[in-house]
Each structure stands twice: as structure tokens, then as C-alpha cells.
Amino acid sequence: MSASIVGEPAIGRLVYTRDEVLESGAYEAPLFAAGVRCHGGFEADGRYRSPRTIHRAPAVQAWQAQLLREGNALLEIPRALMPPQYPSVEQSTLLLENGVRDPIVRTLTIISIVEGFGALIRDVKVPELSALVVEPIEGTALAHLAGGLFEAHARDESGWKDEGGHKQMWEAARDLALDKPKIPGDVLMRLMGRNAGRRRSERPFPQIDETLERMLAMMAQVLVVEIFAEGTFDWGYRLLSNPRVSAAPEAAGAMIDHIRTDETPHVEYLRTALSEVRARTLRTVDGRTIAGRRVVDGLLHGILRDTTRNRRSDQRDDVRENLAAAMQVAKNPAALLEAFDALEVGWAAPGRTGFEPEGDVTAAS
Ligand SMILES: [Fe+2]
Ligand SMILES: [Fe+2]
């Protein structure tokens, strides 16, 4: 498939310096979140512009156009795989209307902590890709991962120098909407405890360079997290912009909207770089080759299968562990729990991820 319907449209510049990838340009007005100077800012017409996008955004577009022009596909994670947020917007609204804030404060705090973990992306080791990929990679997203793309992503998530990032922006949205709630002290510990039991020890592709495999696995994992976060952000936006339960519906809603805008370049560069690998051939450690597609699809399949199976029940178990205790502040806790459960919507993971290894007809097992 070619991207050109009317002749060959010009593809933008494909090679950028690290400084360009990290450049935000000038803003008419900065963004403040609860008194903290954050990244990004506003144009003269009042529109929010994400940080580090004046070159990064057109660069990603150009790499995507190049990929399509070469007859390759841009991979797509089916949104139907996204488990719904627990508790739902309706359940969360009910809790807040009844003065039960703890589960919502916990959820919002977890979101901000997970955003802060994004700083780890700058520590992902990038191997000598031109030696491990058979086809040329010049002028691709892949060639810019170490040249600013990972660093820009890390800065967006966790902040940079004296500028807040998504971590601080979510904290601000939470504190604005819920009037600076008291944060339970065990949120981080419980989150770490849950994740610790889930490490995969076996390498799915031991035949390729280990640093390359780790990098691709990390990118696939982060891509899935970023895409599934769309549902979480939609939940946060709908809840915290509701004047019935939010003390600052406009300011909190706007903050979440800015974060959502900033996430687009993350999803786009990750799926572009993974699609570029998918369209290429990788060298194995024993001097042979393997289709990049087999590796990328294999990694995505494993991650999607695990996430679709576990995320919903993890979230539900986590919330329900404290739910009954948290409801004690309500006038009639038993009636509230009943009303809460009546709003429960079931969800089952789809049988297929869409990235099944070729020839695997038993993927739903
Ligand atoms: Fe983020
Ligand atoms: Fe992100």
C-alpha cells in the first residue's frame, strides 16, 4: 500500500538532532499546575501545545509517511482489548457523592506514580541497531530512539529540572478536584508488591541480541500501557470534570486534557519504531536472521494476552481490598455497597490479541 494517491506527496525531513527532538519552542504563556510550573504551554490563541513537539511531531509524521510509502503497515493495537477502568465512572461518582474518597484518591495517586515511572524510559539501553538490523535504518524513528525520543518521553512523564511533567499534573488534577485530599501512605508499597510477582524470567527470543530484545520488550510494554491509559484518562476526565463531585471541574478537566494531548506523541513514536522493526529483518546471535515481524508480534501478543487477562481483576481486587472499610464513612455503608455492586459491568478479555504467531489456531486457550 502506498501513501501516495495524488502523485508522491513530499515526506518531511527524516533526520533530526537530539536537541531538535527535545526542543519545545517558545510559548505565549506557561502551564501551571497547582502552583507548579509544568511543561508545555499555550499559544497566542489559547491553545495548549505539548512540550518537545515542534520537531518531534512532524518527525514522527514523516517517519510514518516513509513507512507507508515503502509499502509497510503501521501497527495498530485494537482498542477492544482495553479493559475498562474499575471502578467505573458511575461507580466512582456514587462513591464521591457519598463522601467515600479513599478508593478514588488511591486510584488517582497510582496514576501519578505510574506516570513518574516513565522516567525509566531514559535508562533503556539502545544497542548498535545498524549492526543488528539487516536493512538500513537511517531516517527512521528507530534511529532516533537514543537521539532524543526516549529522553523526551521520560521528561514528559516525570518532569524535567524545575518543570513538572505528568506526575505533577495528575497530582494537581487530583488535588484540585478533591480539594487536597490526604494521601494514604501505603499506595506505593502496594503497587510495588503487586508488580513484583509478575516478572517474566524466560526470554521469548533468546536467538536475538539480549539488549535488543529487552529494548523491544520494553517498548511493546510501554506502548500497551500508553494505549490502555486512554481508558483511564477518559475515566479521570469524566469524573473530575463533573461539577457534582469535583471542586474544580474546569481546571481539573483541562489538566487531564493537556496530559492526554501529550500522550499522542508517545503512542505514535513507539508504534512507528516497532512497525519499522516489523518491516525489517533482525540478525540472530548465531549468524542467521529472523523476521522483525515475528519478534515484535510475539512480544506484543504475550504482553496483550497477560494484560487483558490480568489488569481488570488486579484493579478490581486492589480496590475491593479496602472498599468495605472505606465505605464506613458513608451514612449507610451496606446500602452503598449494594448500589455500587448493582452498577458493576462485567468484562471478559477477547479471545485473540490479533498478534498471534502465524499458524497458531489455539491462541484463545
Ligand atoms: Fe504520561
Ligand atoms: Fe506517556
Side-chain angles (χ1 to χ4, degrees):
M1 190 187 71
S2 166
S4 57
I5 297 166
V6 209
E8 286 282 301
I11 286 177
R13 179 149 66 99
L14 295 167
V15 178
Y16 295 80
T17 66
R18 180 184 155 91
D19 285 348
E20 284 176 325
V21 173
L22 294 170
E23 179 58 50
S24 290
Y27 291 105
E28 189 70 20
L31 170 69
F32 278 92
V36 180
R37 167 82 166 89
C38 286
H39 67 210
F42 300 92
E43 310 270 26
D45 63 3
R47 233 167 358 106
Y48 174 77
R49 189 180 81 231
S50 295
R52 299 171 270 273
T53 50
I54 50 169
H55 295 294
R56 189 170 44 147
V60 173
Q61 273 177 12
W63 296 324
Q64 291 184 341
Q66 168 87 345
L67 186 80
L68 296 175
R69 178 182 282 188
E70 289 168 353
N72 298 305
L74 199 51
L75 72 84
E76 195 79 64
I77 308 281
R79 299 304 194 266
L81 294 173
M82 184 169 76
Q85 184 75 20
Y86 189 92
S88 67
V89 175
E90 292 71 24
Q91 287 175 313
S92 305
T93 306
L94 179 74
L95 291 178
L96 290 178
E97 282 175 335
N98 284 275
V100 180
R101 297 150 60 92
D102 179 87
I104 308 304
V105 173
R106 279 179 185 276
T107 302
L108 292 166
T109 304
I110 289 173
I111 297 172
S112 73
I113 292 172
V114 172
E115 291 272 19
F117 285 163
L120 294 170
I121 292 161
R122 70 162 56 90
D123 298 324
V124 174
K125 281 213 181 71
V126 181
E128 189 55 65
L129 290 170
S130 53
L132 298 171
V133 180
V134 174
E135 297 83 357
I137 59 160
E138 207 187 302
T140 60
L142 211 46
H144 290 78
L145 293 175
L149 285 175
F150 281 157
E151 181 62 32
H153 191 162
R155 292 182 188 185
D156 289 356
E157 305 292 16
S158 63
W160 174 241
K161 294 191 174 162
D162 52 0
E163 265 183 14
H166 290 172
K167 180 179 196 302
Q168 292 76 17
M169 289 160 81
W170 270 106
E171 288 168 353
R174 174 196 68 200
D175 293 350
L176 283 163
L178 302 178
D179 246 340
K180 271 204 160 289
K182 189 173 173 301
I183 311 303
D186 60 344
V187 179
L188 179 61
M189 286 304 287
R190 286 180 46 184
L191 184 66
M192 301 295 279
R194 192 179 73 202
N195 288 346
R198 286 270 159 75
R199 287 282 124 79
R200 280 159 177 256
S201 46
E202 258 183 47
R203 293 182 51 196
F205 294 99
Q207 64 271 55
I208 66 169
D209 175 83
E210 188 169 357
T211 308
L212 175 63
E213 186 193 21
R214 275 214 203 119
M215 181 189 84
L216 295 174
M218 175 75 165
M219 289 166 67
Q221 179 75 54
V222 175
L223 175 64
V224 171
V225 169
E226 293 271 346
I227 286 177
F228 287 4
E230 288 170 13
T232 304
F233 288 17
D234 183 60
W235 170 89
Y237 180 84
R238 287 169 59 201
L239 186 66
L240 302 190
S241 65
N242 177 355
R244 269 163 52 210
V245 295
S246 172
E250 278 186 25
M255 195 58 70
I256 298 173
D257 235 6
H258 302 330
I259 302 170
R260 277 207 284 214
T261 305
D262 299 344
E263 299 296 0
T264 304
H266 302 169
V267 170
E268 295 305 323
Y269 94 85
L270 285 169
R271 75 186 186 112
T272 304
L274 287 171
S275 299
E276 289 164 353
V277 174
R278 216 165 165 254
R280 287 172 168 74
T281 316
L282 303 178
R283 297 190 196 283
T284 61
V285 286
D286 64 0
R288 287 187 283 191
T289 60
I290 180 172
R293 182 184 184 122
R294 230 184 98 195
V295 174
V296 171
D297 286 11
L299 292 169
L300 280 171
H301 174 66
I303 292 161
L304 287 167
R305 192 195 47 210
D306 291 353
T307 313
T308 50
R309 281 183 190 171
N310 299 328
R311 194 180 96 146
R312 164 89 173 172
S313 53
D314 279 355
Q315 231 172 35
R316 193 175 180 282
D317 293 350
D318 205 38
V319 167
R320 294 195 76 98
E321 198 179 317
N322 289 359
L323 191 61
M327 280 183 179
Q328 294 309 311
V329 301
K331 276 201 195 94
N332 186 342
L336 178 59
L337 184 59
E338 207 173 295
F340 180 90
D341 284 337
L343 290 171
E344 179 122 355
V345 191
W347 190 76
R352 295 180 60 83
T353 65
F355 292 93
E356 278 73 15
E358 277 166 41
D360 181 0
V361 286
T362 58
S365 67

